[in-house]
Amino acid sequence: MPAEGATDFLWMAVLGALNFAGMDTAIAAAILNGMGLSIITVIAMLIAHEKIKERLLVFFGIIITLIVISSQIANASLAGFSAGFYCSFVAMIFYILYTRKVSLLILLPILSIIIGLIRPDGVIIGVVSSLIGMYFAYQSGLTKKYLACSVACVAVGLLYFLWRYSYFGLPLPLPLYVKGASSSLLPGLKPNIDWASKNKYLGVVALLALIPSSGRWKIVLASTPIVMLFISLIFATQSQNVAFRFQGPGTTLLILWLSICLPEIMKYRKLSKIYYRASLLTGLILSYAIVSYASKTAAMTDYLKNTDYINYFPYHFAKSFDEATVIALTEAGRFAYWVKGKKYDLVGLNTPEVAVKKSSPDYIKRINPDIIFVHLAGVVDDSNLCVSSYCEVTFSKILDLTKNIADWRLETDRVARAPLTVLDFYRLNATEYRVFAVRYGKNYSHMYFIKNNGRINVSDFKESLDLSLSKSGRLSYLEMKRQGAAKD
């Protein structure tokens, strides 16, 4: 069915085009994000180059490169999100607003529509940037050209909106319906504070730019679009905020502030005592920030290379599925990618009806799934469900687990609501399904409900699961792609 499971429209479109041209999607994502990280680094160097001597530029470049490639932007990029690609456009917009180069002003509306098409929250950055650019264009006598370009970009945006509405049948991407629901008044406040805490050392150094700089108001004005984004994020549920990817523009901003800050400090080298003390303090803080970032990058890399069964199970289990198999699931990533069938996302990120009307036991009953794959999301205590890697769970055990759980009707968080509706559905239809809990990480948070006399054979399920838990079943993504292509 037409369903937009990702809000990053232009990112997905570019990946789709490269896949059509013969490039593997994962490799394409890595290249695009790598290009984005390179652009951020180059722009930081361009800003610094105007203030710093050539002999110090190489040293500065090493520092910036180390920070960029170990930053949260890079971490989110490693996980496959569009962070590096997206934030490169943030960097370009900041550079134009900060330098106010007349020859580049006309690019602001173009970059603004691009960043808005990459991610919906990019619209905030784009609109604010374009309005500030309008003022600069007026000062530079470029009002007519700027307006003409802006009108053309607005037309592109309207055409996209009309197309997506006619195709998907909804005015907004599905994730915005899913993530917009919250029982909290300011659901995004804590993630923003957590981001600030994780970046405090880089932030301290970056903020030094405002102390000696004579152009501090230029910095503030160029940063306004990102500040407005952060204000809007306070009111959004930031689920799946891997490596603070929603705050990626803010991390980009700190890196670019740093490219202003260090040269400003170097201007005061004649004041020997103050200069050397400031330089020593700055060096220590930066060194700690780089080490801290690097450790987080190493941890992210280790996590992505983990040998959890779920990395391999969908691939091995795929032989048991055909186009008619009905699948209800809350983990729409790896599982839905490898297996065939009619897939219904109970969280709603990929299923329009669920995104708008939410999951319920009646809905699950209506689609009549052959298999339900659910992440329990902490709604029950799943730590002691089994004593081995997986086990079959009895009806009485499920009843014990669900004695004191929340009522799914009152749950606004879609990630928590989905497993609650599955458990209530099973309670009402227990004789129709066999249930298996599988260890995922430290707990048994993955649960499979397999329909009796359905299209899925329990013995095939166990065989694929055993293979996924063995060393011989551990294949890399590219190995699975190659073997899958050979089978086809």
Side-chain angles (χ1 to χ4, degrees), residues 108-377:
L108 271 177
I110 299 171
L111 292 173
S112 295
I113 188 63
I114 290 173
I115 200 172
L117 289 175
I118 295 173
R119 284 191 53 79
D121 42 339
V123 172
I124 297 167
I125 296 176
V127 169
V128 178
S129 299
S130 295
L131 292 175
I132 296 173
M134 179 77 73
Y135 173 69
F136 293 158
Y138 170 76
Q139 287 186 320
S140 306
L142 295 173
T143 305
K144 288 184 178 180
K145 287 184 177 180
Y146 192 91
L147 274 175
C149 186
S150 298
V151 169
C153 290
V154 169
V156 170
L158 287 174
L159 285 173
Y160 162 72
F161 180 83
L162 291 172
W163 167 80
R164 68 152 291 110
Y165 183 75
S166 65
Y167 181 73
F168 295 112
L170 293 169
L172 299 174
L174 300 187
L176 294 187
Y177 291 95
V178 174
K179 298 177 182 181
S182 175
S183 58
S184 172
L185 179 63
L186 302 173
L189 181 59
K190 186 179 184 302
N192 281 2
I193 293 172
D194 289 343
W195 170 84
S197 175
K198 296 292 183 184
N199 291 278
K200 56 183 175 291
Y201 299 107
L202 182 60
V204 166
V205 177
L207 285 170
L208 290 174
L210 297 178
I211 299 173
S213 176
S214 56
R216 63 178 62 91
W217 290 113
K218 286 174 61 180
I219 301 171
V220 171
L221 192 59
S223 305
T224 300
I226 297 157
V227 172
M228 295 304 294
L229 170 67
F230 267 67
I231 292 172
S232 67
L233 285 176
I234 293 174
F235 302 95
T237 301
Q238 300 174 29
S239 60
Q240 296 178 322
N241 192 16
V242 177
F244 294 104
R245 63 189 181 95
F246 292 122
Q247 286 80 16
T251 307
T252 306
L253 186 63
L254 293 182
I255 292 169
L256 297 179
W257 279 13
L258 187 64
S259 65
I260 301 169
C261 162
L262 290 184
E264 291 286 357
I265 292 176
M266 291 174 183
K267 284 182 182 179
Y268 290 84
R269 60 186 178 279
K270 291 181 181 178
L271 304 173
S272 57
K273 287 185 179 179
I274 297 175
Y275 168 70
Y276 283 117
R277 286 173 184 172
S279 298
L280 179 62
L281 179 61
T282 301
L284 289 172
I285 295 174
L286 273 181
S287 298
Y288 188 87
I290 291 171
V291 170
S292 176
Y293 278 156
S295 66
K296 296 294 190 300
T297 303
M300 174 63 79
T301 305
D302 286 341
Y303 169 74
L304 293 171
K305 294 193 299 180
N306 72 69
T307 56
D308 264 322
Y309 87 100
I310 194 61
N311 293 320
Y312 326 105
F313 175 61
Y315 172 78
H316 295 307
F317 196 25
K319 65 181 183 293
S320 302
F321 291 74
D322 58 34
E323 298 293 350
T325 308
V326 179
I327 309 155
L329 71 173
T330 64
E331 293 283 273
R334 286 159 288 196
F335 197 90
Y337 179 79
W338 290 109
V339 305
K340 294 179 180 179
K342 299 176 181 178
K343 301 155 192 174
Y344 298 88
D345 181 4
L346 299 179
V347 175
L349 293 172
N350 304 278
T351 304
E353 183 177 348
V354 180
V356 176
K357 298 181 180 179
K358 305 177 185 177
S359 175
S360 70
D362 287 341
Y363 174 78
I364 300 171
K365 180 70 174 178
R366 178 156 52 85
I367 62 175
N368 191 26
D370 295 298
I371 183 170
I372 306 172
F373 170 36
V374 60
H375 189 302
L376 293 174

Side-chain angles (χ1 to χ4, degrees), residues 71-94:
S71 68
Q72 292 158 350
I73 305 168
N75 290 349
S77 299
L78 281 171
F81 295 101
S82 62
F85 182 71
Y86 171 58
C87 288
S88 67
F89 288 92
V90 175
M92 286 185 268
I93 288 172
F94 177 87

Side-chain angles (χ1 to χ4, degrees), residues 413-434:
D413 183 346
R414 305 295 186 87
V415 174
R417 180 186 175 104
L420 289 172
T421 60
V422 171
L423 290 170
D424 199 35
F425 164 78
Y426 172 72
R427 183 180 59 81
L428 300 170
N429 302 274
T431 58
E432 297 182 31
Y433 288 85
R434 293 177 67 178

